[in-house]
Amino acid sequence: MATKATDRYRAIRFNDRPIKDVMADPESLLLEPGEITADYEGKSDTRLDEIYPDIADYRIVETDRFIGDADKKLEEEKLWSKTWLLAGFASDLQDKGDWFRFDIGPQSLIIVRSAPGEVSAFFNVCKHRGNELVQGDFGKGFDCFTCIVHSWRFNLKGKNVRVTDRESFAKEVLDQDLDLTPVHVREWNGLIFVSMAKTPIPFEEFYAGVMPMMESYRIDEMYVVKELTVEIPANWKTLMTVFNEAYHAHATHPQAKLMMDDHFYQYDFYPNGHNRNLFPLGMVSQRWPDTKHVNVALAFMLEEAGLKASRYRGDATGVRRAIQQGKRENKPFGIDYDGFTDNQITDDWNPTLFPNVTLNMHPEGILVMRFRPHPTDPEKGFWDNIVLTRRLADGKRPPAYMGVDDDADVTGETRPEREFSPFDNPPSSELLIQDLDNMVTLHRGMKSRGLKHIVLSEQERRIQQFLAELDLYLNDKKAGLA
C-alpha cells in the first residue's frame, strides 16, 4: 500500500549512516535536563524486568494473537470490562445536562454532567426493551434521557422517572431495578475516565506513575479542536503497537530525522502497563548524514520560537536549547511556559496509558490517539485522532503534525463534530497517514504462511510491556480486580 506520503521521501528514507554506540540498554538513558527541571522529568523508579519478571518471554510473539478471532471475547470479558478507560474530555461537559457517548467494542456508555462539579456514567440502554437511549455523539442542556421507542424517561443520575402507562405492567415487573446501570467514572485533570468493573483498581493507584507528569500539562485548560475516527482493517492491538515504539521513525517518517533524535531518547516504565518515551526535538537524528549544519526543519523551529534563523550563529547541536530559551522569552504562542521544564518546551513527551491510549504532549497542544476494538469484527479496529489545545495567540495553532485543518476553529468557540473516515482517504496529516499505511500492511503480513511469530527488539520494550500487561488480565493474574 503506497501513498503519496510513502513516496514523497523515498530519496531520504534509507540514507542513514550507522549510529555509533547503539544503546544496548535503552532504559539507561536520562535526557540531560535544562536549567528548569522537575521531579517528574526524572527516571521511573522501576525497570521493566522488575515489574514483569517474565518480560523476556515477549521478545518472540505468536502472530495468532493479532489475527483471526484474536481473543476478542476474552478481551471483552476480562480487559475492557475491568480496566480504567479514557472516555473523553471535561471540556465537552461544561454545563449540567451536557453529555457525550463513548463506545468500546459492543458496549455503549453515556457520560453526563449530572450536576455542577459532578459527572455520571451509565450503560446506554433503556431498561425496558434494550433500545439505546442516545444515538448521537453529543448533547447539551438535557434534563433527562427519554427512549424514543416507548418514552421511558431517566434523569441525569440514571433514575427511572417515567414508565409510560405504568398501570399496564404487573407488579413483579415494576419491582425490578429499572434505573440505568451505572459505571464508575472519574473526572481528573480535564479528562474523563470510566471503568465497567464491579470494583476497579483505585484510580489513583492505577495511574500513580504517570499522574505527576500528566498534571503538569494542565489539560483542564484545553479543549478539543479535532476529532477523527478511522476504521482500519486491522485488529486494535496491531494499531496500538504501531504507536508503541519509535524504532520505526527513521524509515516510516524519514523527514523527522532532520529535527528529532529517534534513537537516544528516554524510556520510563510504570506499574499497570503505563510507560513513556521523551523524544528530544530541535536536534538532528544521529542517523542523518549531516548533524552539524542548521537544516530547513531546524530553521523553521527557530522562527516558530520567535528567533531569526539567519541570525543564529551556533550549529545544529545548540538549536534545541536556543528554542527553549526563545519560547520562554518571546512567548510566540501567547502562553506562559511557567510550570513547564525546559525540555517540555521543545520535546515530545509520549506516554502510553494502558490499555489503548497514547499521547503526544506539548505545552501548546496534545495529540490523543485511542485504539478501540470493532464491535463485531476482530480484524477491524478504530483509530481515534483527537487534538486538544489551549487558547493560543491569534493565528497560532497546535503543532502541525497533529493534522488540524487550516480552516478549523482553534479558539474553543465551537466544538468540532466527530469525523468518521475509511482508511483509504482520511483527512489527516502526512505523518499520521504514514503510520496508517503501516497498520494495514502489518496486519496483512501477519496472515502470511511465511510468518508464525514476530520478534521484538529492546527498542520495542513498550510493546513487550503492553502484551505482558494484557496477559495479566486475560490470564486472571491481575491483582486488585473484581
Side-chain angles (χ1 to χ4, degrees), residues 353-371:
L353 307 182
F354 184 84
N356 67 328
V357 170
T358 71
L359 303 99
N360 296 89
M361 307 185 75
H362 305 269
E364 301 83 13
I366 296 174
L367 172 62
V368 180
M369 288 190 285
R370 185 174 57 193
F371 309 93

Side-chain angles (χ1 to χ4, degrees), residues 63 95 197 253 412:
T63 56
D95 300 310
H253 312 299

